[in-house]
Amino acid sequence: MRWHVPEEDLRAYARGELAAPALWSADAHLAACAPCRAALGEVSDPVALDAGWERLDAELDAPRTGVLESLLVRLGVPGHIARLLAAAPVLRRSWLGAVVAVLLLSVAAGHLVRGGESLTLFLALAPLLPLAGVALSYGPALDPTYEMAVVAPMHGFRLLMIRTVAVLGVVLGMNGLATLALPAYGLRALAWLLPALALTATGLALTPRLGPVLAPSLVGGAWVGLLVLADALQAGAQTPLAPFTVAGQSVAAVVAALAAGLLFLLRDRFDLFQGRAA
């Protein structure tokens, strides 16, 4: 006769009290014996069984915590904020790898090319990286988690600021490390900082009016046009381009302050902007 799991063992199995090696034998037998599985269902507590399935469903459906999210939580960032930051495209390896590649190329140029041309290349590229990073962190066209952000019970401006601070912290930090790796240019190597803040703040202030793609695109294009014009006016002179002089840095600081003020005044527009974009 074919062996079946005794009823006492089935009851102990259902209660989680069956010890090895009888447990192993029952597991192997139940996988191949439909009558024993039916008998197990008759002796099992349906309430406990439903609760077990609910726990299993919750475990399977729960999102996996990534390395970045876990690190942020360990640093004291609230769990819901850490998840929003971890979902930002600019904090993923593909974007960070692209930023690192651009900075490495510009630093390599600084070591290989003599004169100020290599430094100008770095100073021209570095302010665009934070602007592009913020643009990728907000808006339906670029952010794959935008729909979840729209329905989240959070002010649109607060979400924007959370991600903006994260992007600026990461990108400006990497820019700073790249600056340290440049040849000895002194304080001139930090001339990218104020333009970076001015470009980012201006792009954000124009976003409610122009959208999350057109606004940073126009600001970035205006920066490139300004550099081309400054280079043309320089007429080959071995002096820094106008945006990287003392006067240019002062203008960048004023623009950053004015754009930040305008952004604060328009903070409620981001909720309306979210609703139209959704």
Side-chain angles (χ1 to χ4, degrees), residues 44-71:
S44 298
D45 182 1
V47 176
L49 186 61
D50 291 341
W53 280 114
E54 291 177 0
R55 289 194 300 271
L56 180 60
D57 288 340
E59 180 66 23
L60 293 176
D61 293 338
R64 303 302 180 192
T65 302
V67 176
L68 176 60
E69 184 178 346
S70 300
L71 177 61

Side-chain angles (χ1 to χ4, degrees), residues 20-222:
L23 175 62
W24 306 333
S25 177
D27 273 332
H29 182 78
L30 288 168
C33 182
C36 283
R37 290 196 299 271
L40 177 63
E42 294 176 358
V43 301
S44 298
D45 182 1
V47 176
L49 186 61
D50 291 341
W53 280 114
E54 291 177 0
R55 289 194 300 271
L56 180 60
D57 288 340
E59 180 66 23
L60 293 176
D61 293 338
R64 303 302 180 192
T65 302
V67 176
L68 176 60
E69 184 178 346
S70 300
L71 177 61
L72 291 173
V73 171
R74 287 181 177 272
L75 293 175
V77 179
H80 64 289
I81 301 298
R83 181 145 298 173
L84 285 173
L85 293 177
V90 295
L91 297 181
R92 297 175 183 171
R93 284 177 294 181
S94 56
W95 164 255
L96 294 178
V99 172
V100 171
V102 171
L103 293 176
L104 287 177
L105 289 175
S106 59
V107 170
H111 286 277
L112 296 177
V113 179
R114 299 297 180 182
E117 294 81 1
S118 59
L119 179 61
T120 301
L121 174 64
F122 177 80
L123 295 178
L125 291 176
L128 293 174
L129 297 178
L131 176 66
V134 172
L136 287 172
S137 297
Y138 190 80
L142 301 173
D143 182 6
T145 63
Y146 181 79
E147 289 77 9
M148 291 185 291
V150 168
V151 300
M154 180 178 291
H155 195 290
F157 183 73
R158 183 187 177 198
L159 172 63
L160 176 65
M161 288 297 99
I162 288 173
R163 287 192 167 177
T164 297
V165 171
V167 171
L168 290 178
V170 172
V171 178
L172 295 184
M174 290 193 295
N175 281 358
L177 292 176
T179 302
L180 295 177
L182 286 170
Y185 288 108
L187 292 178
R188 285 183 55 202
L190 293 175
W192 56 268
L193 181 57
L194 287 175
L197 296 177
L199 294 181
T200 302
T202 304
L204 289 175
L206 295 177
T207 292
R209 183 72 176 176
L210 301 178
V213 177
L214 183 57
S217 300
L218 289 178
V219 172

Side-chain angles (χ1 to χ4, degrees), residues 11-19:
R11 293 184 183 277
Y13 185 90
R15 295 192 301 268
E17 299 174 354
L18 187 62

